[in-house]
Amino acid sequence: MLLDTGAGKTGVAQVVNQIIDKWLARTKREHIQLIVAHTHAHSDHTGGDEQFKSLPRTTVVAPNLNAVQSFFGINNWPEQVIQYELGDRIIDVIPIPGHEATSIAIYDRQTAVLFTGDTLYSGRLYVKDPVQFVQSIQRLVDFTQNKIVAHILGNHIENTRA
């Protein structure tokens, strides 16, 4: 699974394909399915999507609420946390709207890494819906209550000197 494709000004698909090719050679496999999903729908996170849409064995989850809910099987947005199986690995998908309506966090059970998109990161954050944002932060707190969280990884870069 690839989370976010960037702003579209780089050859992200080429880099991802190189990583996959090396992994396939190392594991002596012929192919693997790639899922391209997004932490939310802002263009600086979806700009490279076009590079992936025509690739074989690649599913690009459209960056809109209906597509996100449908792909991950989320019937009760945003309260439902779902478990999604990536072969021999399970991730948890946690809806966290507030910054943006389609925002999700991903918890990787194997590494104990929590990916939070733009919802949690050390930089300036714009919140579209403050009530939803507060509820989403509480949902993350509740979700992690009895879990090890080795790292929280935001998905944004601040390009300022401050």
Side-chain angles (χ1 to χ4, degrees):
M1 175 179 273
L2 172 67
L3 287 177
D4 296 345
T5 60
K9 297 177 182 175
T10 63
V12 67
Q14 180 182 3
V15 173
V16 169
N17 280 331
Q18 289 171 353
I19 292 168
I20 289 172
D21 288 345
K22 287 178 184 176
W23 182 85
L24 291 172
R26 189 174 68 246
T27 60
K28 297 179 177 32
R29 292 180 64 173
E30 292 186 29
H31 58 81
I32 190 169
Q33 180 70 29
L34 174 63
I35 297 167
V36 177
H38 308 90
T39 57
H40 64 288
H42 287 159
S43 62
D44 58 329
H45 297 262
T46 64
D49 284 9
E50 287 300 318
Q51 298 174 41
F52 292 92
K53 288 182 177 177
S54 64
L55 296 179
R57 293 178 289 280
T58 300
T59 300
V60 178
V61 181
N64 66 66
L65 191 53
N66 287 336
V68 171
Q69 287 178 279
S70 176
F71 182 81
F72 289 112
I74 302 171
N75 299 317
N76 186 17
W77 183 275
E79 288 80 19
Q80 184 182 11
V81 175
I82 66 103
Q83 294 74 48
Y84 188 82
E85 187 175 338
L86 294 172
D88 61 353
R89 190 178 202 137
I90 295 175
I91 60 171
D92 294 282
V93 180
I94 307 128
I96 53 169
H99 169 65
E100 198 274 332
T102 66
S103 291
I104 59 171
I106 302 286
Y107 179 72
D108 182 346
R109 294 178 181 192
Q110 186 171 326
T111 62
V113 171
L114 180 64
F115 298 91
T116 61
D118 285 1
T119 297
L120 295 177
Y121 77 97
S122 58
R124 185 182 330 186
L125 176 65
Y126 299 96
V127 175
K128 181 147 178 98
D129 185 330
V131 172
Q132 287 262 2
F133 183 78
V134 169
Q135 291 170 346
S136 292
I137 297 302
Q138 187 61 56
R139 194 173 302 108
L140 285 174
V141 169
D142 294 344
F143 174 81
T144 60
Q145 192 68 40
N146 297 314
K147 293 176 181 59
I148 295 171
V149 178
H151 301 283
I152 297 174
L153 299 179
N155 231 21
H156 202 72
I157 298 171
E158 281 295 312
N159 290 318
T160 66
R161 295 179 187 260

